[in-house]
Amino acid sequence: MKRACVIGWPVEHSRSPLIHNYWLKLHGIDGSYEKEAVPPGEAEAFLRSLAERGYVGANVTLPHKLAALKSADIADEAAYAIGAANTLWLDQAGRLNATNTDALGFMTNLEAQAPRWNLGRRPVLVIGAGGAARAILYGLHKGGAAKLLLANRTRDKAETLTGSFGPMSETRDWIEVVDWKERNRAVADCGLLVNTTSLGMTGQAPLDIDLAGLPADAVVADIVYAPLVTPLLTAAKNRGRTTVDGLGMLLHQAVPGFERWFGVRPEVTPELRAHVASSLGDK
Ligand code: ATR
C-alpha cells in the first residue's frame, strides 16, 4: 500500500485529504493520504525521513513551503523560480524530488474557467505580494501574460518580489509595481484581476477595491476558496464579469502529486468539485 501525506502547521483545515482520498477510491487504488501536523522548525527533518515513515511523497502547506524546497535533493524550475515547493516525491534511487504546482494549478484552472482571459493581451492586475503572489506571477509569465501590474498594501514587498525573479531577466520590465492607492485606477486597463491575498476569506475583511472601471470583458479571479464566492467575486458577478474562484486552483494543483505517488493521472471533474465544495458549506 502506498501512503502520502500533507504536512502543515496547522494542517487540520487542509482539504487535500478530501481530494486525494476521493481519487484513491475512484481509481480503486490501495493507498492512503494522511494529515501530518509538523511544527515550525521540524519540516526539514520530517521530510528527510519520509521513507522511514512509510511515505512515498508529500504535499506541503504553510508555513513549510520554503523548508520543503531546502529539503529536496532535486527541484525543478518551477520550485526554484517560485522559491518554494508544495509537492515532494521519492524517486527509485531514494532521492527527494520537489516541485511547485501552485502556478500550474492556477493557470490550468484559469484556462478552463476563463479561456479568453488573455485575448487582448491586456495587463493583469495582481493584488498582494506574499508567497501565493509569487507562484501566480510565475504562472502568468509562463502562461503568456503580456504585462503585470502588482499592487500591494506595503509597496516595498511588491518591489522585493519583482526583483526576486532574477533568472527570468525579462521579467524586470514586465512587472510594474502600482501604488496601493492607485489600485482602483489600475483596474481600468486590465484584462484580468487576481486577488492573491487572504482578504475575503471567512473571518477576514473583504479586499477593498472598486471594480467600477474594470472593462466589460475582463475576468476576476480569487485564490480564496472559503467562501467559494468571495465578496470580490460577488462584486464582479454583480457587474456581469466572468469570475474564477479559488477552488479550481486547489483541485488542479493536486493532480501532479497524485500521479507521481499513485501512478494514475487523475481528473478534476464537476463531481470532485462538488465533493470538496460541500465541505466548504457551499455548492
Ligand atoms: P501568503 O504567503 O499566503 O500569500 P502573506 O505573505 O501573509 O501570505 O501575504 C499576505 C498578503 O495579503 C500580503 O500581500 C499582505 O499585504 P502586506 O504586504 O502589506 O502585509 C496582504 N494583506 C493582508 N492584509 C491586508 C489588508 N488588510 N489590506 C491589504 N492587504 C493586506
Side-chain angles (χ1 to χ4, degrees), residues 62 128-133 152-154 157 180 196-199:
L62 298 181
N152 192 51
R153 179 180 58 179
T154 311
K157 270 180 77 180
W180 186 242
T196 75
T197 74
S198 51
L199 294 168

